[in-house]
Structures are given as structure tokens and as C-alpha cells.
Amino acid sequence: MKDFNVALLQILPEATLEENMEKGLKYCQKAAELGADLALFPEMWSVGYTIPEDISLLKSMAVSSDSEFVTAFQNAAAQLHMAVGITFLETWEPLPRNTLCIFDRFGKKVLTYAKVHTCDFGDECRLTPGDGFYVTDLNTKKGTIKLGAMICYDREFPESARILMLKGAEIIVVPNACPMEINRLTQLRARAFENMTGIATVNYPFGKPDCNGHSTAFDGIAYRPDEGGSRDTLIIEAGEREGIYMASFPMEELREYRRSEVHGNAYRHPEKYQLLVSGQVREPFIRRDCRRPVTGTRE
């Protein structure tokens, strides 16, 4: 497999679910015409990342994973012979979830991921967090890749990408809805570097508060045998405008790099990392709105 092409759909949402479905399907068609192996939407495309305070209204905006909205993109994947990563506010109990479904080029659902690190300090306190990180074998016209997913704020926890790498991910897709500035871009660059994985992030363009575009892709290849020193792993960085931005990952080169370089799981000492799974929280990190189960004393 030479290249894996991800179409980053950096597009503005419309006012209704139906309009978002129609616009999304049109952009899937355009992505297929451009030669995409996967078309990826920004975070919670079904509602344009809208999370009302009214819980009844919030629940009424959610759709199930087999709804007409989601099924439309499943059918599009099969018709276009191209994988589609559609994002939506998913019906769930007790509260909706921030979800990504990936359908392969045959229309088969191969991955469902709900955002684990919900932004509980903000509107996402009204959402149900996901229960784990998953990797799938994605069949493309050129071969099969190991694909994992995380969403927006998951990026800020090294454990998210690390777990996906340990589960075999070669490429990690990241739907997003926030201002992408130098520090957040640096986090993504670091996740790609330290795990030797490709990372494809798609954001909303300028015009969707408070987003600013700058969808990116990093190939995770920091060194090449025929080049001196290290290289920037950035494949593409979009500007602020609406559009389709194509990220082409050199899979043969990435796989050879992962077989020989020193990062990822090559030289880890996991037996020394027990503190990473401790629930203990101490100052200055105590937050009243943190809802994760905690063990030990808070001091």
C-alpha cells in the first residue's frame, strides 16, 4: 500500500440536521472525485457542535447510530466506494454522546468511537463520555490499514494516542471543534512523533465560533535515511477557509520507519508506570466539576 488519502472536510455547518446531511453528502461526493480513501468530518457534524443547556432540547437533537442521518453516510460510503467518518450527537442514556462512526468502502460499520475526554469544564458536562479507545482494520482499494480515533480534547492526553498505538493503530483520525493554535498543533505533532503514527485532524473553518480552520495531518516520520537531522512531520495545514484538504500518508515509508525507529513501544518500561492509572488527585489539579471516579485522598 503506497498512499492513504484522507479528505479533511473543513466545512461550515448549516442550520438543520437535514441541511447538514445534504451538504455532507455533497462533500463526500467531491472527496471521492479527488481520490480520497476516507472522508472525515469535523466534530459532531450533525448539529454543528451545538450543545444547548436545556437537556430536553439536547436529547431531541441527538440521533441514533442507525438513524436516517447516519445511514445516509453509510450508503454514500458504499456507493462511492470510499470510507466515510461521520460525526454526530448520538442518542444515549443518561445523556447523549459525542460520536464518530467509520464506514468502510462497502458501507460496513467498522468503528464506533465516543469521545472519552469530554470537556466537563464546559458544555460537554451534559454529554456521556465514551468507554474506551478502539482500532479497526480499514479495507481500502489499495490495502488494509490499522485505523484508530480520538476526538478534539482527547488530543491533550498523551494516553489517548498511546493506547491507540499499543492497539496497533498506524493512522489516528481526530475530528475537532476548537481554535487550533500553536500549542494544540504542537500536541498533535508530538502525538505523531512519539507514537510513530500518522494523525489526521479536521476542524471547522473560520465562521463557526470559535473555530479557525487549520486542519492538519502529520505523518509521524521524523527521520529519513537519506536526509540529515530530523524533519517536520507536517503533511498539510489548512488555512481558515472552508474546503476539502487532502492528506496523503506514505504508508510503505511509515511502516518501514516503524519497524526500525526507537519510539512507539520499542523501548518502553510499562512496569514503572503504575502511577499513570492511579485515580488519586492532589492540588493544584482538584476540580469540582471533574466527574471521573477517584481513589485515595484529595489534599
Side-chain angles (χ1 to χ4, degrees):
M1 183 176 185
K2 188 174 181 181
D3 297 312
F4 175 61
N5 298 321
V6 181
L8 307 175
L9 306 184
Q10 183 174 291
I11 54 180
L12 285 168
E14 301 296 330
T16 69
L17 179 72
E18 292 74 19
E19 289 174 319
N20 285 337
M21 182 174 71
E22 181 179 354
K23 182 171 184 175
L25 292 172
K26 287 181 179 178
Y27 271 85
C28 284
Q29 176 69 50
K30 292 179 181 180
E33 292 170 358
L34 291 172
D37 297 303
L38 168 67
L40 183 66
F41 284 87
E43 186 176 7
M44 279 200 327
W45 172 252
S46 67
V47 294
Y49 193 78
T50 299
I51 307 173
E53 291 186 13
D54 185 293
I55 298 299
S56 296
L57 176 59
L58 175 68
K59 289 186 174 183
S60 73
M61 294 168 62
V63 296
S64 68
S65 60
D66 60 355
S67 63
E68 179 184 359
F69 177 85
V70 177
T71 302
F73 292 95
Q74 179 179 20
N75 294 337
Q79 292 164 5
L80 297 171
H81 217 45
M82 173 191 71
V84 174
I86 183 63
T87 58
F88 55 103
L89 179 67
E90 183 186 13
T91 300
W92 204 260
E93 290 297 336
L95 294 166
R97 302 198 305 181
N98 181 342
T99 298
L100 163 72
C101 277
I102 294 179
F103 297 100
D104 71 10
R105 64 194 177 103
F106 305 109
K108 177 184 177 183
K109 186 188 297 182
V110 294
L111 186 145
T112 299
Y113 171 68
K115 187 175 184 177
V116 167
H117 297 102
T118 48
C119 299
D120 295 341
F121 46 83
D123 290 339
E124 289 188 356
C125 67
R126 297 185 288 279
L127 301 181
T128 297
D131 56 7
F133 297 94
Y134 307 101
V135 171
T136 188
D137 290 324
L138 181 66
N139 180 297
T140 78
K141 298 175 185 177
K142 307 163 190 172
T144 300
I145 68 161
K146 295 279 190 180
L147 189 75
M150 54 189 189
I151 296 177
C152 201
Y153 190 47
D154 287 325
R155 158 200 69 241
E156 304 199 17
F157 300 87
E159 296 87 351
S160 307
R162 186 62 106 195
I163 289 171
L164 290 169
M165 178 275 295
L166 292 173
K167 289 186 172 184
E170 299 174 297
I171 304 293
I172 299 172
V173 294
V174 192
N176 195 80
C178 70
M180 293 306 293
E181 40 75 42
I182 188 169
N183 295 301
R184 286 174 173 145
L185 294 175
T186 298
Q187 288 175 324
L188 292 163
R189 180 181 273 106
R191 300 295 87 82
F193 170 76
E194 65 203 11
N195 293 297
M196 298 193 290
T197 57
I199 293 188
T201 303
V202 57
N203 195 30
Y204 288 101
F206 180 81
K208 166 60 185 172
D210 55 352
C211 300
N212 67 337
H214 292 277
S215 300
T216 55
F218 299 90
D219 63 21
I221 303 170
Y223 309 102
R224 283 183 170 139
D226 57 346
E227 297 179 8
S230 62
R231 61 179 288 273
D232 190 351
T233 62
L234 181 69
I235 296 175
I236 186 172
E237 179 177 347
E240 295 185 341
R241 299 175 65 178
E242 183 176 54
I244 298 176
Y245 298 87
M246 193 70 72
S248 184
F249 292 92
M251 295 306 300
E252 290 179 4
E253 183 181 5
L254 176 58
R255 286 168 174 169
E256 182 59 33
Y257 178 78
R258 300 181 93 222
R259 281 191 287 265
S260 60
E261 261 300 339
V262 300
H263 310 295
N265 198 24
Y267 297 101
R268 293 173 66 248
H269 291 270
E271 71 279 2
K272 300 174 183 177
Y273 306 155
Q274 298 306 308
L275 188 58
L276 290 176
V277 294
S278 168
Q280 191 172 71
V281 181
R282 299 178 184 273
E283 291 290 3
F285 302 114
I286 296 174
R287 304 289 188 273
R288 291 183 179 179
D289 54 11
C290 177
R291 54 179 168 175
R292 79 175 190 265
V294 174
T295 60
T297 58
R298 290 190 170 203
E299 300 178 358

